[in-house]
Amino acid sequence: MSFTPHGKHLIAGVWVASDSSFSNAPTQGPAQWFSAGSIELVNRACEAAEAAFWSFGYSSREARAAFLNTIADEIEARAPSITTVGSLETGLPEGRLQGERGRTVGQLRLFASHILAGDYLDRRHDVALPDRQPLPRPDIRLIQRPIGPVAVFGASNFPLAFSTAGGDVASALAAGCPVVVKGHEAHPGTSEIVAEAIHAAIQKCGVHPGVFSLVHGGSRAVGQRLVQHPLIKAVGFTGSLGAGRALFDLCAKRFEPIPFFGELGSVNPMFLMPHAVAARGLEIAKGWAGSLTMGAGQFCTNPGVAVLTEGASANAFIDAAVSALEPVGAQVMLTEGIANAYRDGRDRVANAVGVREVLSTTCELRQAMPYLFATTGREWLANASLGHEVFGPLGLVVTVKDNDELLEVARSLEGQLTCTVHMDAEDSAEVSRLLPILERKAGRILANGFPTGVEVSEAMVHGGPYPASTNFGATSVGTMAIRRFLRPVSYQNIPEALLPEDLRQK
Ligand code: NAP
């Protein structure tokens, strides 16, 4: 299917161009030109979002649910072009993009049903006690209200599910917050088609056009202005620690500081307990290799580190991991920048003291091949940089002397999105010592599985202590993600008829 993007920004229902441009860098086919974002466009988008809030922020849950479902329908209606363009731009296989589209429309529909159910409003009512002594109690009711316009940065590694109509956008719109998206330069054509789908849904549902704007990148100034714009009340971001931290700091330095919900790096360690390794170490090694190389390792939940006790079982585990990784061919990475960062990360690990290369490969240009390294618990504990994310299919095995050292390695971890334990029933006593540590480190703890593949559901947490995220109380996946864009308001002695619709007694 051929699709030629017009390359414009969508600002409050109108496709507009600026006077400068940038080109994308597709993995196949000719590059295409896109209008570059500007401070003036960001200003217009934010002002339109604020104007839209006065209707959208007070709209009924039914109207917003219908809007979310219509966006999902409009994305489905454009499925073939989204897949084709997305695949050309990012190098991701078509099957992966089809799956990601399913997840994207699935989460839009999930948020629609979530707001209809209404639990997220967390309604509370302290009934007035006029005769209470020594003082009467007033009537107090609480409800969660939307916060205002939200900025979202499209992520490179999920061009659909964490981008223009991804989880951040779906949860903000569900809450009643207009959104200004800063598109990622790795997939501007894909962003354009998805923005067209949202535009069509806005027109069908009669929503204020300022409720959604897409401003392409092309200059750092775009993202910097967006997070500092006085009308923006929160930011959703998925990407690198460096960029996330820079944007977080800008949010904190504002006259009115705002929350920056950054989902950043994580090495997602796996702890392999002795009985599980003895019983099925080879099977775990095979599963790990699959999880590590899935999507060329470009997942925030990629399990980059495996920790287990030294000895014959550990050696057999390493050999099995090598055998499973060796046949994995080169995979195309999302951008040249990510491929370069992968090679730099490999060099950092390869040159670290006490690290040996177990599986050597070579990768060039935008290609990624898997690497496997091994080190000891002692070296790990002496070198904090071994715990930093390498974005790509690189694994590090850490062999420890005993379970006490394994616990020390766990204690040394930075904040993680996930921690995994592979265990059998006989490992339970040791795991009961490990879990309280992991609970302080990660947003999600798994047993006997692999963390890649984040279920979009009620009970999911995709977040964690810094640097996994910049806000440990939040998740960017699952229905609880809506809480990021709400704030509680108490209404004291406000007459029933003047309360928000959702607080009135039916
Ligand atoms: P990135 O460098 O973090 O950039 C993400 C977004 O932030 C882009 O829109 C970028 O705009 C913007 N940005 C970056 N630095 C900025 C700054 N100082 N001020 C304002 N805006 C800024 O992510 P990426 O380009 O997708 O990939 C680079 C690396 O990020 C990867 O190699 C990987 O290490 C990491 N990454 C991690 C995850 C994860 O989930 N853990 C996901 C994706 C990427 P520009 O495009 O204009 O620079």
Side-chain angles (χ1 to χ4, degrees):
M1 154 145 316
S2 72
F3 166 84
T4 309
H6 50 62
K8 294 179 181 167
H9 315 267
L10 178 63
I11 309 293
V14 184
W15 292 101
V16 295
S18 64
D19 50 14
S20 61
S21 55
F22 69 96
S23 76
N24 65 355
T27 50
Q28 294 169 50
Q32 286 149 335
W33 288 93
F34 291 83
S35 171
S38 67
I39 288 174
E40 197 253 325
L41 288 170
V42 171
N43 292 344
R44 274 164 60 186
C46 294
E47 282 155 21
E50 172 65 14
F53 186 72
W54 290 107
S55 54
F56 192 68
Y58 301 85
S59 60
S60 70
R61 290 181 278 133
E62 290 73 15
R64 290 202 304 282
F67 178 45
L68 292 169
N69 283 325
T70 308
I71 297 174
D73 295 343
E74 293 293 334
I75 289 174
E76 288 291 24
R78 290 161 179 76
S81 9
I82 290 174
T83 303
T84 308
V85 174
S87 185
L88 290 177
E89 285 193 319
T90 64
L92 292 170
E94 294 204 345
R96 151 76 198 270
L97 282 159
Q98 283 155 359
E100 204 184 311
R101 192 185 67 248
R103 178 187 166 133
T104 306
V105 299
Q107 64 195 5
L108 285 159
R109 296 192 200 287
L110 178 68
F111 277 110
S113 56
H114 184 63
I115 56 172
L116 287 178
D119 299 349
Y120 80 99
L121 293 168
D122 192 12
R123 287 173 275 212
R124 297 164 191 223
H125 188 183
D126 299 325
V127 179
L129 301 174
D131 300 327
R132 189 179 71 171
Q133 293 300 328
L135 287 172
R137 183 171 84 178
D139 182 276
I140 308 172
R141 300 183 211 204
L142 177 150
I143 195 171
Q144 299 285 341
R145 298 291 301 144
I147 56 173
V150 166
V152 171
F153 284 69
S156 60
N157 58 337
F158 280 88
L160 301 173
F162 281 83
S163 209
T164 314
D168 288 341
V169 173
S171 49
L173 293 177
C177 299
V179 179
V180 180
V181 171
K182 189 263 175 194
H184 200 289
E185 280 178 48
H187 55 259
T190 315
S191 299
E192 181 181 306
I193 307 175
V194 176
E196 273 182 356
I198 300 175
H199 186 210
I202 286 173
Q203 289 175 320
K204 277 195 178 162
C205 297
V207 175
H208 189 296
V211 93
F212 174 85
S213 291
L214 166 70
V215 185
H216 289 298
S219 143
R220 281 279 155 90
V222 174
Q224 287 162 356
R225 172 61 182 162
L226 186 55
V227 302
Q228 292 181 101
H229 196 288
L231 294 172
I232 291 296
K233 297 296 173 201
V235 182
F237 174 92
T238 298
S240 66
L241 177 57
R245 182 64 202 227
L247 293 166
F248 172 90
D249 288 343
L250 286 179
C251 287
K253 279 191 200 136
R254 288 169 46 127
F255 173 74
E256 179 198 0
I258 54 168
F260 176 84
F261 297 102
E263 192 257 273
L264 313 176
S266 185
V267 293
N268 305 294
M270 304 193 310
F271 292 86
L272 280 53
M273 305 311 285
H275 287 94
V277 177
R280 51 196 167 82
L282 307 192
E283 192 193 313
I284 298 170
K286 216 170 140 192
W288 182 37
S291 187
L292 190 65
T293 56
M294 191 189 289
Q298 300 166 120
F299 288 113
C300 20
T301 50
N302 195 27
V305 172
V307 187
L308 77 174
T309 310
E310 66 192 15
S313 295
N315 296 339
F317 172 83
I318 292 172
D319 290 346
V322 169
S323 305
L325 288 168
E326 248 167 357
V328 177
Q331 289 173 278
V332 184
M333 296 202 96
L334 290 159
T335 66
E336 216 173 286
I338 289 177
N340 289 337
Y342 179 55
R343 283 190 282 274
D344 290 348
R346 172 208 56 194
D347 292 347
R348 169 169 57 77
V349 176
N351 295 328
V353 175
V355 172
R356 70 189 164 92
E357 194 158 336
V358 183
L359 172 65
S360 313
T361 52
T362 46
C363 54
E364 292 168 348
L365 307 169
R366 241 164 110 167
Q367 306 285 322
M369 294 284 280
Y371 290 97
L372 190 64
F373 294 91
T375 191
T376 61
R378 196 166 52 89
E379 298 293 354
W380 169 281
L381 291 167
N383 184 355
S385 80
L386 291 175
H388 297 166
E389 180 185 60
V390 180
F391 197 63
L394 181 145
L396 175 65
V397 179
V398 182
T399 51
V400 291
K401 280 197 315 272
D402 52 26
N403 201 51
D404 284 344
E405 196 172 75
L406 180 137
L407 296 180
E408 245 188 281
V409 169
R411 272 188 220 103
S412 76
L413 290 170
E414 295 184 327
Q416 302 291 328
L417 292 168
T418 72
C419 285
T420 301
V421 183
H422 288 275
M423 59 175 288
D424 278 358
E426 297 89 331
D427 294 309
S428 295
E430 294 300 345
V431 174
S432 71
R433 296 172 66 206
L434 176 62
L435 281 183
I437 303 171
L438 299 189
E439 191 198 270
R440 295 190 65 187
K441 300 291 179 181
R444 178 163 58 113
I445 309 166
L446 307 75
N448 296 330
F450 297 95
T452 36
V454 184
E455 189 70 30
V456 182
S457 63
E458 297 282 346
M460 177 52 68
V461 172
H462 189 61
Y466 188 82
S469 84
T470 52
N471 189 313
F472 53 69
T475 175
S476 62
V477 177
T479 53
M480 218 179 75
I482 195 171
R483 286 207 193 156
R484 298 174 298 170
F485 307 124
L486 295 165
R487 65 184 183 87
V489 179
S490 285
Y491 297 82
Q492 186 170 326
N493 287 342
I494 302 291
E496 172 85 15
L498 298 179
L499 289 170
E501 168 83 29
D502 280 324
L503 256 189
R504 285 181 221 151
Q505 280 162 1
K506 304 274 166 34

